[in-house]
Amino acid sequence: KTKTADAATTTTTITTTTAQNSVAQISWKCTNDSELRRKIESSDNVIIAMPAKAAGTSFKRFARECNPPKSADIGFSSNIYDRKNMKEILTHSWDMPRIIPAHFWIPEHLSKLLRNASRKTLIIYSHRDESSRFNSAVKHVLTQWCKGEPNPPIPEPRSKFFNKIDGDNCYLDENKLIDKVLQPHRFEMHFSTNRILTCQSYHSIEEYAPNMIFVDYSNASKIQELLSEKYCPNMNSTFEITTPKTYKIYITREADGESVLLSDWMDRKMPFLEWTLQLNDQASCLVKTRQMEDELDSCEGGFLDAKSVPK
């Protein structure tokens, strides 16, 4: 790992042995608002990639308002690789979407994007630390079940799953939280950062040199402001990251029968969950992700440029 620094930028080059013999390596460089604005101005379209719980809903709401009206229902806003009929994407509307937010569930799909995106496509990866992302995903799933929403499907009838439902308050046994929710970690809990950013993903950055930056998910509003300058200058608002506040989940502890807020339970247990649940068993090249996170955290503007450079 080598570093060169001046008053404005820091560049870091990371080389890690992967399964493939790479002829290039990733060089990370902090990017400010002005540099990102230039990237957006020179692009033909923007794809915002993210795992679950990394400001996806915020970006999708923004894209629906910012894109040309007839392109808003093409279906890109869910998962760009869910569409089986690619011809429909090309023929649905004369006005193609300029901004495409897309959740990615498996690394193969992200790698396909990195390999095949044109040089005029800017890829913005909205990143969230896995501990924070998993914590949010657990709260989201349980809140949906407390509300009685059909998605994601609850493992058993709502009245049986929760110990007690009192208006907007739902009480769940601690053992059931572990056995039915945390151990299987399905739905949004499963689609993790470390399952998407793998050796395959980093190798695709190295070999195909996509036009790509990483941003912290908390900067969603700032990204939307910069995108709207080019693609929808008359749009005066951005969409904040949504956080459900009405419903409260309580966890009834086995040791003393006391009920505590799910948020308090998760905050207390989170440092132990990643290794007790073995959340990183399917991760690869985690060293690169953690180095990327260190570089992103050090960027004053919150943007990190990913450049592929020859070895």
Side-chain angles (χ1 to χ4, degrees):
K1 181 176 177 179
T2 59
K3 277 196 176 184
T4 58
D6 55 32
T9 63
T10 300
T11 301
T12 300
T13 301
I14 300 171
T15 306
T16 301
T17 302
T18 62
Q20 303 95 338
N21 293 320
S22 178
V23 298
Q25 58 192 5
I26 302 173
S27 177
W28 304 105
K29 178 185 176 183
C30 289
T31 301
N32 57 35
D33 288 16
S34 298
E35 292 170 328
L36 180 53
R37 186 178 286 109
R38 285 195 293 271
K39 275 183 168 288
I40 293 172
E41 283 297 325
S42 63
S43 67
D44 288 339
N45 65 325
V46 177
I47 297 178
I48 307 172
M50 72 218 65
K53 310 310 297 177
T57 299
S58 172
F59 281 123
K60 288 176 182 180
R61 292 174 63 200
F62 169 76
R64 289 191 189 102
E65 294 296 323
C66 188
N67 278 324
K70 290 184 179 180
S71 72
D73 61 344
I74 286 181
F76 278 129
S77 61
S78 177
N79 183 333
I80 59 176
Y81 287 102
D82 276 349
R83 305 286 289 196
K84 294 182 179 179
N85 187 356
M86 300 302 288
K87 181 178 178 181
E88 182 182 355
I89 293 176
L90 298 176
T91 61
H92 180 87
S93 171
W94 181 249
D95 294 319
M96 298 297 289
R98 306 289 197 273
I99 301 169
I100 305 169
H103 281 109
F104 283 82
W105 316 122
I106 57 177
E108 288 78 10
H109 288 175
L110 180 59
S111 295
K112 284 183 180 180
L113 171 64
L114 299 175
R115 288 197 303 268
N116 295 295
S118 75
R119 299 185 71 175
K120 299 290 284 185
T121 294
L122 174 61
I123 300 171
I124 298 176
Y125 186 89
S126 179
H127 180 73
R128 186 171 187 175
D129 168 76
E130 181 54 25
S131 294
S132 171
R133 194 211 64 80
F134 185 80
N135 194 334
S136 177
V138 172
K139 294 174 184 176
H140 168 78
V141 169
L142 285 174
T143 298
Q144 289 292 95
W145 291 347
C146 182
K147 292 165 63 177
E149 296 289 342
N151 290 311
I154 194 168
E156 57 190 48
R158 179 169 171 260
S159 58
K160 182 180 178 182
F161 181 76
F162 291 104
N163 296 354
K164 181 175 70 171
I165 301 173
D166 181 14
D168 293 344
N169 301 325
C170 293
Y171 294 78
L172 180 64
D173 179 75
E174 186 175 41
N175 284 316
K176 187 169 284 188
L177 169 66
I178 295 170
D179 296 338
K180 299 284 188 178
V181 181
L182 298 180
Q183 287 281 12
H185 52 272
R186 299 168 63 204
F187 313 118
E188 280 85 352
M189 293 172 280
H190 179 76
F191 305 126
S192 71
T193 296
N194 297 335
R195 289 174 183 265
I196 298 171
L197 294 178
T198 61
C199 289
Q200 182 180 10
S201 304
Y202 289 115
H203 181 75
S204 295
I205 298 175
E206 292 170 348
E207 296 299 297
Y208 296 92
N211 183 17
M212 185 179 189
I213 67 163
F214 285 73
V215 303
D216 189 275
Y217 84 104
S218 61
N219 284 324
S221 294
K222 187 187 293 186
I223 293 293
Q224 292 171 25
E225 290 174 3
L226 294 172
L227 290 172
S228 65
E229 290 178 11
K230 175 178 180 179
Y231 293 112
C232 46
N234 295 324
M235 186 173 168
N236 297 319
S237 61
T238 59
F239 295 91
E240 300 294 332
I241 299 171
T242 56
T243 305
K245 297 180 180 179
T246 304
Y247 288 80
K248 292 184 178 179
I249 314 295
Y250 290 89
I251 304 303
T252 303
R253 299 192 317 198
E254 180 183 23
D256 53 16
E258 182 182 352
S259 294
V260 297
L261 281 169
L262 172 65
S263 57
D264 293 338
W265 193 96
M266 291 293 294
D267 289 344
R268 182 65 62 91
K269 310 292 185 179
M270 196 64 227
F272 300 91
L273 290 182
E274 285 194 54
W275 64 267
T276 56
L277 299 176
Q278 301 173 12
L279 295 181
N280 290 326
D281 270 5
Q282 296 184 26
S284 63
C285 284
L286 193 54
V287 62
K288 287 194 173 186
T289 297
R290 289 178 173 170
Q291 288 173 326
M292 177 274 292
E293 289 173 336
D294 289 343
E295 296 302 324
L296 183 58
D297 287 344
S298 71
C299 292
E300 186 175 343
F303 312 135
L304 187 65
D305 199 352
K307 289 281 189 183
S308 176
V309 298
K311 286 185 177 179

